[in-house]
Amino acid sequence: MSESTSIHGQWSSRLVFVLAATGSAVGLGNIWKFPYITGEYGGGAFVLVYLGCILLVGLPVMIAEILLGRRGRQSPINTMRMLASAQGVSPAWSWLGWAGVITGFLILSFYSVIAGWAISYAWETFSGTFSGASAEEVGDVFGTLVSSPGQLLFYHTLFMLLTMYVVGRGVKQGLEKAVTILMPILAILLAIMVGYALAQGAAAEGLRFLFQPDFNAVFQKCTEESGTQVCTFTREPLLVALGHAFFTLSLGMGAIMVYGSYMPSNVSITRAALMVVAADTVIALFAGMAIFPLVFANGLEPGSGPGLIFQTLPIAFGQMPGGLLIGGLFFVLLVFAAWTSSISLIEPAAAYLVENKGMSRPLAASTVGGICWVLGIGTVLSFNLWSDYKLFDRTFFDLLDYLTANILLPLGGLFIAIFVGWISKRHLSESELSLSPGLFKAWWFVLRFLAPLGIFVIFLNAIGVV
Ligand code: TRP
């Protein structure tokens, strides 16, 4: 295992790895998905379970996933095959890489459609659509957008082209600069929004909803139905919190593994992982703090679903001084955040095509992006023409989201934990992490026992066994 660089290149420093991995982690998951699922699953208690999953499952699995990538120095498929034979187990472990490639396709197909919403909103905000608009008018703009397959398809196509462009050029170029400058600006803008929401919105109510756990609400799902909130018993919240921990940290499908494979050998994996997890969590909580005070101040339903941020933030942008500029910029940066995430979703597949099929990077990126684009048409239609076609009470988009975040990613994480914790030799991980003995033992214990058991129990819970 002495090979120390990848054929695809290498990040120039730890900072660049941390930025790239943070770029992958921070995205629509933090700003779009976290607030709306928190709203659906009743607030504080859900947030607490989510934070627990981040710390006890997400962080240890992230360390393991980076470790595998850096040890293998290839696309996840080839890395898993090679590491499995090095440990004398079946090369069928490369299936973990394949499953990740498929999961990445499925996620990007809908991710791109939602990122398209953000592009459309950047445009609408700058051009003054929301100036002085009431909550109702803002809601109508969202309704009009999602009911138009043509518009959704247009923005989905645009975003997919952006993604293919960067992956085609090589993740390192361009990306390094984009993440260094843009991510900090996004954080500052988000902080401004938090300040505004706390000052002008229903701060107390919003913060209580987000941070005060009400454990009676743990097994409830509340959604909006024709203007009123309906809550029903459900076993979903634990699974959704776990799934979102994976989704928001980009874990369980090889994205962080492939980024790890471009990581210099002398960089501390644990410290890098801690920074990524911290940044990701802060941004998600900020997003919640910016949105819920506005939700309550405007009499909106927290459980109104995937449109939540698009129906709340523009109200503030339309009212605050300089709001159209700040708001437009906010959505532009949201698109950038989504962009630095989306490239990591297809990088594992693109790296594989370059390694095994001898494709050029642009060809590999277009091939993979093309597949995701076609799949994305299903999500486009699920908001309008197909909105009544449901399976298990879910639209095509809901199904994809549920299957990937709540099932495929945690399963991928489970197998990563098993591979590093039970199949790889302990001393390999010990020497690569170079932690103090106490810290190493703590990580080793959590990775071998707590994380896999946690995932397993939450799965059992979701199907009603425990
Ligand atoms: N983490 C990103 C977000 O929060 C999405 C993402 C990028 C992702 N790469 C991933 C999710 C890999 C799962 C797996 O928006």
Side-chain angles (χ1 to χ4, degrees):
M1 235 106 357
S2 55
E3 193 181 344
S4 62
T5 51
S6 152
I7 60 161
H8 309 285
Q10 187 166 307
W11 310 114
S12 18
S13 65
R14 174 178 84 203
L15 183 66
V16 177
F17 171 81
V18 170
L19 286 170
T22 308
S24 165
V26 175
L28 297 172
N30 306 60
I31 291 168
W32 158 75
K33 192 172 176 189
F34 172 72
Y36 98 72
I37 55 179
T38 298
E40 280 178 351
Y41 294 106
F46 177 84
V47 174
L48 207 65
V49 177
Y50 157 76
L51 291 175
C53 291
I54 292 278
L55 209 65
L56 293 177
V57 183
L59 180 62
V61 169
M62 177 177 282
I63 295 172
E65 192 172 330
I66 300 173
L67 197 74
L68 287 180
R70 197 170 71 176
R71 204 181 281 165
R73 293 273 183 226
Q74 296 164 59
S75 68
I77 295 171
N78 290 325
T79 285
M80 289 313 300
R81 179 181 299 122
M82 183 189 94
L83 296 181
S85 23
Q87 298 298 329
V89 295
S90 159
W93 274 94
S94 64
W95 264 102
L96 189 52
W98 281 109
V101 162
I102 293 166
T103 308
F105 285 2
L106 297 178
I107 294 178
L108 183 57
S109 78
F110 70 80
Y111 202 85
S112 165
V113 176
I114 312 290
W117 297 359
I119 302 181
S120 152
Y121 268 63
W123 171 250
E124 297 286 352
T125 312
F126 276 133
S127 58
T129 307
F130 301 118
S131 176
S134 67
E136 222 185 341
E137 288 162 339
V138 168
D140 288 343
V141 174
F142 182 72
T144 310
L145 172 67
V146 296
S147 60
S148 160
Q151 283 201 43
L152 294 186
L153 189 65
F154 172 75
Y155 291 114
H156 162 55
T157 309
L158 201 61
F159 185 79
M160 200 58 93
L161 288 172
L162 288 174
T163 303
M164 293 189 291
Y165 173 71
V166 174
V167 175
R169 288 194 55 184
V171 162
K172 216 186 109 169
Q173 282 152 21
L175 180 71
E176 287 203 3
K177 267 196 214 86
V179 285
T180 341
I181 303 164
L182 298 173
M183 303 297 294
I185 304 182
L186 178 67
I188 293 169
L189 274 194
L190 201 54
I192 294 177
M193 289 314 295
V194 172
Y196 178 84
L198 292 181
Q200 303 291 325
E205 212 179 334
L207 293 180
R208 213 179 310 123
F209 182 79
L210 198 57
F211 293 117
Q212 198 176 73
D214 165 10
F215 285 99
N216 294 322
V218 168
F219 287 103
Q220 276 192 23
K221 178 174 189 172
C222 301
T223 46
E224 189 201 70
E225 259 157 55
S226 40
T228 47
Q229 177 160 324
V230 191
C231 300
T232 45
F233 172 83
T234 167
R235 290 185 163 278
E236 275 168 23
L238 295 184
L239 185 64
V240 174
L242 175 75
H244 188 62
F246 280 95
F247 186 88
T248 193
L249 295 177
S250 302
L251 293 178
M253 53 77 49
I256 288 295
M257 196 186 295
V258 83
Y259 277 17
S261 76
Y262 308 149
M263 191 187 200
S265 308
N266 58 356
V267 164
S268 159
I269 291 179
T270 5
R271 214 170 317 150
L274 270 173
M275 288 181 183
V276 175
V277 169
D280 187 81
T281 307
V282 168
I283 299 278
L285 294 178
F286 267 23
M289 286 159 66
I291 285 159
F292 287 109
L294 297 176
V295 168
F296 292 112
N298 290 287
L300 298 167
E301 294 296 342
S304 53
L308 188 65
I309 68 158
F310 298 98
Q311 288 161 327
T312 50
L313 291 180
I315 306 173
F317 297 145
Q319 291 168 359
M320 65 203 269
L324 301 188
L325 187 67
I326 294 184
L329 214 56
F330 175 85
F331 283 117
V332 169
L333 290 166
L334 182 58
V335 174
F336 272 102
W339 194 5
T340 56
S341 298
S342 63
I343 53 182
S344 72
L345 283 162
I346 49 172
E347 177 62 16
Y352 173 78
L353 291 179
V354 171
E355 283 165 12
N356 287 42
K357 307 287 168 205
M359 283 189 191
S360 67
R361 279 202 72 99
L363 182 62
S366 322
T367 309
V368 173
I371 297 174
C372 297
W373 180 82
V374 173
L375 272 174
I377 295 172
T379 292
V380 163
L381 297 177
S382 75
F383 290 103
N384 35 69
L385 301 181
W386 290 0
S387 62
D388 290 332
Y389 295 135
K390 292 188 179 175
L391 197 64
F392 306 116
D393 205 26
R394 289 170 210 280
T395 63
F396 184 81
F397 158 72
D398 293 330
L399 275 179
L400 274 188
D401 175 37
Y402 193 90
L403 174 71
T404 52
N406 304 338
I407 299 171
L408 294 173
L409 296 177
L411 267 183
L414 181 64
F415 282 105
I416 289 172
I418 292 174
F419 191 85
V420 176
W422 294 90
I423 292 181
S424 301
K425 298 278 180 303
R426 172 183 165 136
H427 70 88
L428 282 179
S429 304
E430 217 166 358
S431 65
E432 264 178 271
L433 290 182
S434 48
L435 288 169
S436 71
L439 277 181
F440 179 81
K441 266 198 198 125
W443 171 73
W444 189 242
F445 174 79
V446 177
L447 186 76
R448 297 188 85 193
F449 299 103
L450 222 55
L453 211 66
I455 297 171
F456 193 63
V457 169
I458 290 178
F459 273 146
L460 288 184
N461 176 271
I463 54 174
V465 177
V466 293

